[in-house]
Amino acid sequence: MARFYLTTAIDYVNSRPHLGTAYEKVTADVIARYRRLCGVSTHFLMGNDEHSQNVYQRALELGLEPRAFCDQMEQVFREVWAKLDVSFDDFIRTTEDRHKLAVTALVQRIADAGDLYEGEYEGWYCVSCEAFKPDKDLVDGECSIHQTRPEWIKEKNHFFRLSKYRDRLLQHYEATPMFLQPDVRRNEMLRLLEGGLEDISVSRTGQSWGIPLPFDPSRVVYVWFDALINYIAAVGYATDDERFRAWWPADLHVVGKDITRFHAVVWPAMLMSAGLPLPKRVFGHGWVNWQGQRMSKSLGTSVDPLDAADRLGPDPLRLYLVKEIAYGHDGDFTWERFEERYNADLANNLGNLVNRVAVMAHKYRGGRLAPVPGAISQLADRAADVVRRYRVAMDEHQLHTGMAAAFDLVDATNEFITRSEPWVLARTPDRRAELDQALFEMAEAVRIAAILLWPAMPASCTEILRRMGQVGPISEIRLDRDTTWAGGERQIVKGSLLWPRI
Ligand SMILES: [Zn+2]
């Protein structure tokens, strides 16, 4: 059976997730659900990054042991992901034993390969980024992302010979054009590689919160070097060889554009050093801005995803994030825009369509619909074209294009109702067969659209499918088999309005 191993970045737990964090998880969830719908055995990993100084500091401020604080925050994160219906298969924390064992083993292997050496780091460090900052990355002396002044640090550290892997990385980029998407990210990384790489410091001195270096327990592993290893730790590296061989390499790392360098340069170099296969693909998504500004707790421009989900429902929020923001680019979120799209796409369009079909099915046929033998279907070709375009887009992570394709079928069905005028057919006894066929076609088109939209709106589309006569669990639906135009008789179920207009 085909397999698909998908990961998101793991999150620092010093504060609650904001809508930008949720954006990444929701889009990855849509990809995971799409793959499952295709019948692919999918492993979807998320998790928390706990060995950060920010996390340690926050715990101290609250008077908690760092580990106890991380335990509390795990519940906070899990609650948000549950509310948003994010269906991860595994959730890793970097303080777990399986992760520590993997970090220890991988760091030792990189050391054995001769790729670590002792040196002195002197320079800027942004604690919010948890990153060493060369002067050229600062704007007016401040971190360009956090708009705060980094710390000047001077430490004896262990360095990783990143520079040694520059040529191999360039070769890999050339040989594997899809390794990093979208192209704008790939071009950024190519320019970086062409400019040459410097070795990086991969340990921190004078800190207790972290994983000790196996050959120098007085120092801990730099939090990024530690965090990246979660992707192999979660599938059994150093703890379960059989499982590791079954799932590694990952098919896709979904990450934010600001951490592309760690995932598309540092991480593959670490794997090359350790002699492990590279992930097949890295996707660097854009940011969800708040009224045109970067969403950030410290800048006061963040939206709580629970507030957004409470306002109009988790599914409308998920659809907005996936459909209104071109995946790979930045997009904007405002309450006005969210409500506008809710009314346009859901209340007036899809929700209204589902309601009309159910009402007409019951008014004219007691809810029982079947196609007329030999009748030529008017929507079947349109549906087949939509499914084809949807699959091409979704296979390439063009999630917004996939969703737009599904809505083309919704639009076509509404147009079909206007054109076929079922209420006129119902008044004419000798057009009985035409009415049968028209009602059946609407219900069948809605059924197919609901399957296509299911990865983005799982709860709502499950309900739409139930109303359109779907029997049997959603987990048994398969995209190729169940989105072809079907001919079976079905019982339509009426229900309340899914998305009342606001
Ligand atoms: Zn920063």
Side-chain angles (χ1 to χ4, degrees):
M1 192 184 199
R3 287 173 186 252
F4 196 83
Y5 176 31
L6 164 71
T7 71
T8 64
I10 54 175
D11 300 303
Y12 294 138
V13 294
N14 46 304
S15 58
R16 299 174 54 83
H18 62 58
L19 190 63
T21 323
Y23 172 64
E24 174 173 299
K25 312 311 171 193
V26 165
T27 55
D29 185 59
V30 171
I31 295 170
R33 287 177 183 273
Y34 169 72
R35 297 286 166 171
R36 293 189 198 118
L37 200 56
C38 291
V40 175
S41 176
T42 301
H43 191 66
F44 175 21
L45 173 71
M46 289 181 16
N48 284 348
D49 190 356
E50 301 184 332
H51 289 134
S52 157
Q53 289 176 72
N54 298 301
V55 173
Y56 184 76
Q57 286 300 332
R58 185 74 190 129
L60 291 190
E61 283 165 31
L62 294 169
L64 291 167
E65 286 293 322
R67 180 62 198 248
F69 171 62
C70 291
D71 290 348
Q72 287 183 8
M73 292 308 286
E74 181 192 11
Q75 296 316 311
V76 170
F77 276 72
R78 280 181 179 271
E79 185 199 350
V80 175
W81 306 144
K83 173 84 180 184
L84 297 181
D85 233 345
V86 175
S87 62
F88 53 81
D89 298 294
D90 189 7
F91 194 89
I92 191 167
R93 297 175 50 184
T94 54
T95 50
E96 284 177 61
D97 285 343
R98 59 173 171 163
H99 180 73
K100 291 181 187 170
L101 287 166
V103 170
T104 304
L106 193 82
V107 168
Q108 186 63 58
R109 201 152 153 182
I110 292 171
D112 293 346
D115 285 339
L116 295 183
Y117 63 92
E118 280 192 271
E120 188 166 58
Y121 179 82
E122 185 170 7
W124 300 108
Y125 190 87
C126 174
V127 179
S128 294
C129 288
E130 288 282 17
F132 303 95
K133 294 273 169 179
D135 279 315
K136 67 176 170 58
D137 287 0
L138 302 181
V139 177
D140 299 329
E142 295 183 336
C143 166
S144 58
I145 294 169
H146 294 96
Q147 292 159 30
T148 50
R149 201 174 169 75
E151 285 175 27
W152 184 263
I153 61 170
K154 187 177 176 181
E155 302 181 342
K156 275 208 164 27
N157 284 338
H158 293 268
F159 283 72
F160 171 54
R161 293 187 200 281
L162 183 62
S163 58
K164 176 177 155 186
Y165 291 96
R166 176 208 178 236
D167 291 351
R168 274 183 69 187
L169 284 164
L170 271 171
Q171 282 160 17
H172 185 70
Y173 272 75
E174 263 165 46
T176 323
M178 301 307 273
F179 174 65
L180 175 59
Q181 285 188 301
D183 283 346
V184 56
R185 304 281 113 75
R186 178 182 151 81
N187 293 335
E188 278 167 18
M189 287 306 116
L190 278 172
R191 278 198 300 275
L192 182 101
L193 288 168
E194 281 156 6
L197 291 176
E198 286 177 20
D199 294 346
I200 56 167
S201 173
V202 297
S203 66
R204 295 301 312 274
T205 302
Q207 291 179 15
S208 57
W209 182 238
I211 300 174
L213 284 166
F215 43 82
D216 180 1
S218 70
R219 298 193 173 91
V220 297
V221 179
Y222 165 49
V223 65
W224 262 105
F225 220 63
D226 163 338
L228 290 162
I229 298 169
N230 92 86
Y231 302 127
I232 55 174
V235 289
Y237 180 71
T239 52
D240 185 343
D241 288 348
E242 198 181 326
R243 188 153 180 268
F244 183 62
R245 277 195 302 273
W247 285 106
W248 190 259
D251 294 276
L252 180 65
H253 290 320
V254 171
V255 300
K257 65 176 183 180
D258 51 328
I259 56 173
T260 313
R261 188 179 69 91
F262 286 109
H263 285 84
V265 174
V266 178
W267 177 229
M270 290 164 68
L271 292 165
M272 284 173 177
S273 171
L276 295 173
L278 307 192
K280 291 179 194 159
R281 222 179 254 203
V282 178
F283 190 94
H285 65 75
W287 285 336
V288 187
N289 294 321
W290 167 249
Q291 296 176 330
Q293 271 195 301
R294 171 163 156 75
M295 216 174 269
S296 150
K297 282 252 162 56
S298 50
L299 301 177
T301 51
S302 76
V303 172
D304 188 316
L306 292 186
D307 287 348
D310 280 342
R311 199 171 287 212
L312 300 173
D315 279 353
L317 176 64
R318 289 173 59 106
L319 183 70
Y320 181 96
L321 294 176
V322 177
K323 180 168 174 281
E324 298 308 310
I325 301 168
Y327 204 39
H329 300 270
D330 291 352
D332 207 38
F333 183 90
T334 63
W335 295 119
E336 296 73 24
R337 180 97 180 120
F338 183 28
E339 290 180 5
E340 186 188 305
R341 293 319 308 167
Y342 168 93
N343 276 332
D345 285 335
L346 297 176
N348 297 344
N349 200 4
L350 179 60
N352 186 42
L353 174 63
V354 170
N355 192 52
R356 285 175 91 189
V357 170
V359 166
M360 286 192 284
H362 277 266
K363 185 172 176 188
Y364 303 130
R365 293 294 180 263
R368 199 81 196 153
L369 302 184
V372 175
I376 293 167
S377 165
Q378 298 186 54
L379 279 172
D381 287 350
R382 188 70 180 268
D385 175 57
V386 161
V387 171
R388 187 191 54 76
R389 287 191 285 125
Y390 171 89
R391 294 192 71 148
V392 168
M394 297 296 281
D395 282 344
E396 287 306 319
H397 318 307
Q398 298 292 308
L399 307 182
H400 54 292
T401 310
M403 294 303 123
F407 269 89
D408 282 349
L409 184 55
V410 174
D411 293 339
T413 312
N414 273 317
E415 287 156 19
F416 173 75
I417 294 176
T418 306
R419 208 168 57 234
S420 58
E421 299 183 307
W423 45 94
V424 173
L425 299 177
R427 290 199 297 265
T428 320
D430 63 358
R431 300 181 77 183
R432 191 177 170 78
E434 269 180 78
L435 180 59
D436 281 339
Q437 179 66 21
L439 292 172
F440 173 81
E441 290 204 27
M442 295 166 207
E444 176 60 6
V446 171
R447 185 190 69 82
I448 291 173
I451 294 175
L452 303 183
L453 291 168
W454 178 82
M457 300 196 292
S460 315
C461 289
T462 299
E463 173 60 12
I464 294 172
L465 286 166
R466 187 186 72 83
R467 291 187 190 185
M468 291 302 115
Q470 166 76 27
V471 285
I474 294 294
S475 59
E476 282 172 17
I477 291 182
R478 287 293 167 264
L479 194 65
D480 48 2
R481 182 191 64 210
D482 294 313
T483 57
T484 50
W485 195 260
E489 198 183 8
R490 67 206 57 183
Q491 179 66 39
I492 305 299
V493 180
K494 278 200 286 190
S496 56
L497 280 180
L498 289 165
W499 298 288
R501 196 181 155 78
I502 43 157

